[in-house]
Amino acid sequence: AIFGARSKSALAAKTHRLDGRRKSMRIREPLLLAGVLLCAPCASGFSQYAFPSVRRAPPLAAATTTLAAATPVCRSGAPTAMSSSVPPPDYKLAAIFLGLGLLTLSVPWLVGGFITLLGVLFIVQTTRVRFVFDDEAFEVKAKPLDNIFSDDAQLVSSGDNFAVGGDNRWRYDSFVNWAFLPSEDLPILVYFKETQTPKDKWEAGPGKWANSEAAMAKGAVPGQVHFFPCIASPKELKKQFEARGCKKIA
C-alpha cells in the first residue's frame, strides 16, 4: 500500500512537471519565432559580405570573350601592359631654392638674386611641366600657358630638345641608366642616359664626360645624357622607371 501511494505521488509530480514544460514551450515558441523573423533580414544582409555566393565559372569560350573585351588594345593591336601615368608635381625643390635665395639676398645680393630667380623658375616649371609614362615611352609634356593653372588642361608637346633636337620622348628599351642626383634622399636632379638619340650627338654638352674613357672604365654605358630638375614626385618617378623596365646600373 505504501509502495502504491509513493508510485501515485511520483506519477502525479512527473505529470505536473510535464504540464509545466508544455506551458513553458507554448510561451517560448512565439517568442522564438518572433526572434527568428526579426533576425532573418540581418543575417541575410551579413551573409552577402561574410559568405558571398560562389558562381559557376563561365564556359571557356565565354571567359575568353570577356577577357578580350576587357583587355585594352593599343593601335598596333597588341595588348597594352600598363596604362599611362603622370607623377604628381613636387614643389619641394622650388621652395628650397626660393627660401635659400631670399635668405641670401643681402650678402651677397647677386648670388641670392640668382638663387631666387631659380626658385621662381622651378615654381613655373613645376606648375607647367609634366612627365608622362605611356605604354612605350617616357615623354616630357607641358600645359598651355593660357591654361597653366587648370588641373584638367590638355598636355601638349614641350617642343624640341634644346641640346640635341628632336622630340622630348624616349623609348623605355633605349634607357641604359637612370638615377637621382646627388642621391635618392636628396633628389635635386633626375639623370638618365639613352641610346635612341643618334650616336653622333652623344658628345654634346656633358656627354663628352659621361662617355669618356674614364667613365667607361668605371662601368658607364655609352649613350646620350639628360638631366632635369626633380619637380615631380621622386617616389613616383622611381616607381615608374622600375615598373617600365628602364635599365639602371647598380
Side-chain angles (χ1 to χ4, degrees), residues 140-206:
V140 181
K141 289 191 173 185
K143 294 181 180 180
L145 288 174
D146 59 351
N147 206 13
I148 190 173
F149 296 108
S150 173
D151 293 334
D152 300 327
Q154 182 69 33
L155 299 179
V156 297
S157 172
S158 58
D160 292 342
N161 187 276
F162 75 96
V164 295
D167 294 336
N168 288 312
R169 178 180 173 85
W170 303 273
R171 299 188 314 274
Y172 302 125
D173 57 9
S174 71
F175 277 61
V176 294
N177 195 20
W178 60 269
F180 294 96
L181 301 177
S183 68
E184 287 188 21
D185 296 328
L186 186 62
I188 297 177
L189 293 175
V190 181
Y191 148 84
F192 70 94
K193 184 184 281 189
E194 44 82 17
T195 57
Q196 178 177 302
T197 301
K199 191 174 182 178
D200 60 344
K201 297 181 180 180
W202 289 1
E203 301 297 323

Side-chain angles (χ1 to χ4, degrees), residues 68-229:
T71 304
V73 179
C74 61
R75 294 180 180 178
S76 62
T80 301
M82 297 180 68
S83 59
S84 296
S85 178
V86 181
D90 191 329
Y91 286 89
K92 291 188 184 73
L93 184 64
I96 290 173
F97 271 80
L98 188 60
L100 183 61
L102 293 175
L103 289 174
T104 57
L105 271 177
S106 56
V107 186
W109 70 269
L110 284 176
V111 175
F114 176 73
I115 297 176
T116 302
L117 288 176
L118 279 179
V120 174
L121 175 62
F122 288 153
I123 289 177
V124 176
Q125 287 186 320
T126 305
T127 304
R128 185 174 182 234
V129 178
R130 293 292 180 267
F131 304 107
V132 180
F133 293 83
D134 60 25
D135 59 341
E136 62 180 15
F138 167 70
E139 185 173 3
V140 181
K141 289 191 173 185
K143 294 181 180 180
L145 288 174
D146 59 351
N147 206 13
I148 190 173
F149 296 108
S150 173
D151 293 334
D152 300 327
Q154 182 69 33
L155 299 179
V156 297
S157 172
S158 58
D160 292 342
N161 187 276
F162 75 96
V164 295
D167 294 336
N168 288 312
R169 178 180 173 85
W170 303 273
R171 299 188 314 274
Y172 302 125
D173 57 9
S174 71
F175 277 61
V176 294
N177 195 20
W178 60 269
F180 294 96
L181 301 177
S183 68
E184 287 188 21
D185 296 328
L186 186 62
I188 297 177
L189 293 175
V190 181
Y191 148 84
F192 70 94
K193 184 184 281 189
E194 44 82 17
T195 57
Q196 178 177 302
T197 301
K199 191 174 182 178
D200 60 344
K201 297 181 180 180
W202 289 1
E203 301 297 323
K208 57 184 177 182
W209 293 288
N211 295 303
S212 64
E213 292 182 2
M216 297 299 108
K218 294 179 181 179
V221 179
Q224 176 62 47
V225 178
H226 299 272
F227 297 91
F228 60 87

Side-chain angles (χ1 to χ4, degrees), residues 1-7:
I2 296 174
F3 178 77
R6 289 180 179 176
S7 298

Side-chain angles (χ1 to χ4, degrees), residues 58-72:
L60 180 60
T64 305
T65 304
T66 303
L67 180 61
T71 304

